[in-house]
Amino acid sequence: MRAYLAGLAGTGELNRIGADVSWNLEASAITMLANNRDDRVPVFESVTDSRVSARLVGDPYRGSRERPWDRPARALGLPSDLDGDAYYEAIIDRLRRPIEPTTVDAAEAPCREVIRRGADVDLFAFPWPYIHAADGGRYSNLHTMVVPDPDSSWTDWSSHRAMIQDGDRASVLLLAGEQTPNLFYYRYERRGEPMPVALAIGVEPAAQFTASMWIPTGSDEAAFAGGLKGEPIELVECTTNELTVPASAELVIEGRILPGERLDEGPFGDYFGYIHGPRRSMPVLQVDAVTHREDPLIPFCVEGSGVGHSLNTSATIEAACVGPDATLGLRVAGYDVKKCVPWRFTPRSVYVVSTDVSRPGYLHELANFIFTTWGMLHVDFFVFVDADVDPLSTREVLEALALHADPDADFHQFGADAMPKVPLNIYQTPEEKGDAETGTSRSKTSKAYIDATTDGDEETPARRSSPPADVRERALEVLSAAGVDIEDPGTSGAVGGDPAGIGGDGQ
């Protein structure tokens, strides 16, 4: 992560803030403003009231508003000028070629420079941010959680927020229906066994991205991270259990999630853009050790900032990393999918799938595969569009909805009253959400999909295209003579290379 941040500094995209800033709302407020203004990534070099010399990094992987994949591309060593299609195919190509990790000696692992065990562990010695004014507490919400399957050699990587409770305990948001929670609720806890856990914080970019992807159960996620990186991820064994974590992590929390024990968690200002209860009882992480680098960097994400018009780290990772992974998964399953993309500014709530096949039966089968095979706990609905519609373009998707989605025939409920529902949404009341110990809503709900494809017989208006060069040149001359300030065609300020709005067919 330090090499990635140095790269941002080299291109003027990093804001190293030397003034004293508090972990108590100040760091998150500055980060939120940077997110909303598409500004530089802030690094808080001097955090007040921190007993450990640690620094905070606000939304380090947040992409730019127009090109959400640009910083993830840089983090993975991909060319900076890739368009959305080329970027997706590059990520898919790397995911097809996993690279097995290597294990390094503890003496070579940066994350083991400082080791604290037993009575020396104090989580509140670190400047975990208080992110939103109505949050239930201070959080680590940008990390890779590592847990083992008790019945095989498989190790799961995931990302679940952790609310710091006291010096050696945190409560972890585990929502049944996802891989790590299922391991705990349905295996460890039913056997009365603690689940070994490591929270690796400030891991290298490929490891952070993989933790959010839809990697199939049983797959080696460290190998997929190596594929993303293009070389093996270096792992090191923990000090108090047999788990291995990325050796270059800034900080590692080692512990056990205890069976039958709960502590309150939340509320938290989540990705819907709202703080909406209820406060829930969640499993307890008992911390056994903390290891870290000297002067560690602690990254965090301001969830909910800029919903609808800007990005943060989680929205960026969803669009730039989870999207390509989901696209690959659908292709491997045999579906004719060009891209599967989360709605740009609202991660995990809406996905758009572009496909060449628009038969209603085919789309229903595709929806059935998505909702039942992947256990889409977070995603409420999908929008299917034609292959020539770019799911990364909000304008094109809205145009497809307006032109081709018949409210009578193309809006479909799916699995009515049968699907588990994540309780983080805003539209359910606290009573509907209930207080189920496994974290899903008390009541079941339906999912939905919208068919915004053409039906083959439908006549589609011609898409905008560039006019011939002589027509374009003459138009620019006329506009210039009229005193219109025109950017040079093809510059970064030109949308679609047409700054003057000189449309082609269909305009």
Side-chain angles (χ1 to χ4, degrees):
M1 191 178 77
R2 296 189 181 199
Y4 163 72
L5 294 176
L8 292 185
T11 56
E13 297 175 65
L14 199 71
N15 182 16
R16 295 193 181 275
I17 298 172
D20 289 346
V21 174
S22 174
W23 51 258
N24 185 6
L25 298 177
E26 292 182 356
S28 62
I30 293 168
T31 301
M32 181 185 68
L33 287 174
N35 293 352
N36 290 347
R37 296 174 179 178
D38 226 0
D39 206 343
R40 296 170 294 169
V41 171
V43 176
F44 303 96
E45 302 281 2
S46 178
V47 184
T48 59
D49 299 322
S50 176
R51 295 195 296 278
V52 172
S53 179
R55 298 161 289 167
L56 292 173
V57 187
D59 274 309
Y61 299 113
R62 181 248 307 161
S64 67
R65 191 166 299 160
E66 292 301 321
R67 292 169 51 86
W69 59 87
D70 53 5
R71 287 191 180 123
R74 180 176 307 164
L76 298 174
L78 291 169
S80 60
D81 59 350
L82 294 178
D83 62 20
D85 281 347
Y87 171 80
Y88 260 56
E89 293 305 322
I91 295 297
I92 288 170
D93 180 61
R94 290 191 175 190
L95 289 174
R96 288 185 183 276
R97 296 180 285 116
I99 299 175
E100 293 297 320
T102 59
T103 302
V104 301
D105 187 82
E108 302 173 15
C111 69
R112 298 282 283 277
E113 291 176 350
V114 179
I115 300 175
R116 305 171 189 269
R117 295 192 189 94
D120 292 333
V121 171
D122 182 5
L123 294 178
F124 279 129
F126 299 89
W128 311 106
Y130 186 49
I131 297 174
H132 313 97
D135 284 352
R138 296 163 63 183
Y139 276 87
S140 173
N141 74 336
L142 193 58
H143 51 240
T144 296
M145 176 180 281
V146 181
V147 303
D149 179 1
D151 299 322
S152 72
S153 61
W154 174 54
T155 299
D156 182 36
W157 286 11
S158 61
S159 180
H160 299 272
R161 73 189 190 213
M163 191 176 90
I164 311 303
Q165 294 281 349
D166 51 38
D168 63 356
R169 294 186 305 169
S171 50
V172 183
L173 181 70
L174 296 182
L175 303 176
E178 299 174 317
Q179 289 175 340
T180 293
N182 285 353
L183 285 177
F184 176 69
Y185 292 121
Y186 304 130
R187 298 195 187 184
Y188 282 100
E189 189 167 56
R190 287 183 178 179
R191 301 174 187 179
E193 300 174 2
M195 181 170 72
V197 170
L199 298 184
I201 298 152
V203 297
E204 58 186 293
Q208 184 67 61
F209 300 160
T210 305
S212 296
M213 289 183 172
W214 300 350
I215 305 297
T217 299
S219 301
D220 185 352
E221 285 165 291
F224 278 95
L228 274 182
K229 183 181 180 181
E231 60 184 70
I233 299 291
E234 292 187 344
L235 304 177
V236 65
E237 189 171 305
C238 290
T239 65
T240 59
N241 58 47
E242 296 180 353
L243 292 171
T244 55
V245 296
S248 64
E250 295 288 322
L251 186 150
V252 178
I253 297 174
E254 303 175 10
R256 298 153 288 135
I257 293 185
L258 305 176
E261 295 197 22
R262 301 290 188 269
L263 285 170
D264 283 352
E265 192 277 333
F268 182 72
D270 226 303
Y271 56 86
F272 284 91
Y274 298 88
I275 290 179
H276 193 51
R279 190 171 172 88
R280 309 173 71 86
S281 294
M282 283 289 135
V284 177
L285 170 61
Q286 178 66 53
V287 179
D288 297 319
V290 176
T291 72
H292 60 88
R293 288 176 179 245
E294 297 285 356
D295 304 319
L297 291 159
I298 297 177
F300 67 95
C301 173
V302 182
E303 289 286 11
S305 67
V307 171
H309 63 90
S310 64
L311 294 168
N312 56 22
T313 290
S314 66
T316 296
I317 290 177
E318 200 81 10
C321 303
V322 181
D325 178 51
T327 302
L328 174 59
L330 291 175
R331 290 180 184 176
V332 169
Y335 291 98
D336 185 0
V337 168
K338 184 174 182 182
K339 284 207 293 283
C340 178
V341 177
W343 193 262
R344 175 81 68 85
F345 303 114
T346 53
R348 299 181 186 162
S349 54
V350 183
Y351 265 70
V352 184
V353 178
S354 57
T355 176
D356 275 322
V357 184
S358 59
R359 297 191 310 274
Y362 183 87
L363 297 181
H364 189 81
E365 179 188 335
L366 178 52
N368 180 70
F369 176 83
I370 292 170
F371 287 134
T372 60
T373 303
W374 282 341
M376 300 296 296
L377 190 66
H378 291 272
V379 181
D380 286 328
F381 65 89
F382 275 71
V383 180
F384 295 114
V385 296
D386 291 325
D388 66 341
V389 175
D390 183 4
L392 285 166
S393 168
T394 302
R395 182 191 66 79
E396 289 190 31
V397 175
L398 287 174
E399 180 183 70
L401 283 168
L403 293 179
H404 307 307
D406 181 344
D408 183 52
D410 293 327
F411 286 65
H412 305 273
Q413 276 196 320
F414 193 90
D417 301 322
M419 293 287 184
K421 182 66 220 150
V422 65
L424 306 180
N425 65 79
I426 184 67
Y427 49 76
Q428 284 184 308
T429 66
E431 292 74 24
E432 289 172 327
K433 293 181 179 187
D435 59 354
E437 288 190 354
T438 54
T440 49
S441 293
R442 176 181 298 162
S443 59
K444 301 295 184 180
T445 186
S446 64
K447 303 293 187 179
Y449 69 91
I450 299 174
D451 179 359
T453 65
T454 57
D455 60 11
D457 297 326
E458 188 177 343
E459 185 175 342
T460 305
R463 288 199 173 276
R464 172 172 170 152
S465 60
S466 297
D470 58 338
V471 175
R472 186 182 192 83
E473 184 177 350
R474 173 59 182 157
L476 292 173
E477 290 175 357
V478 171
L479 290 169
S480 179
V484 178
D485 185 16
I486 306 168
E487 293 186 59
D488 182 49
T491 64
S492 59
V495 179
D498 191 15
I502 308 164
D505 295 339
Q507 299 296 305

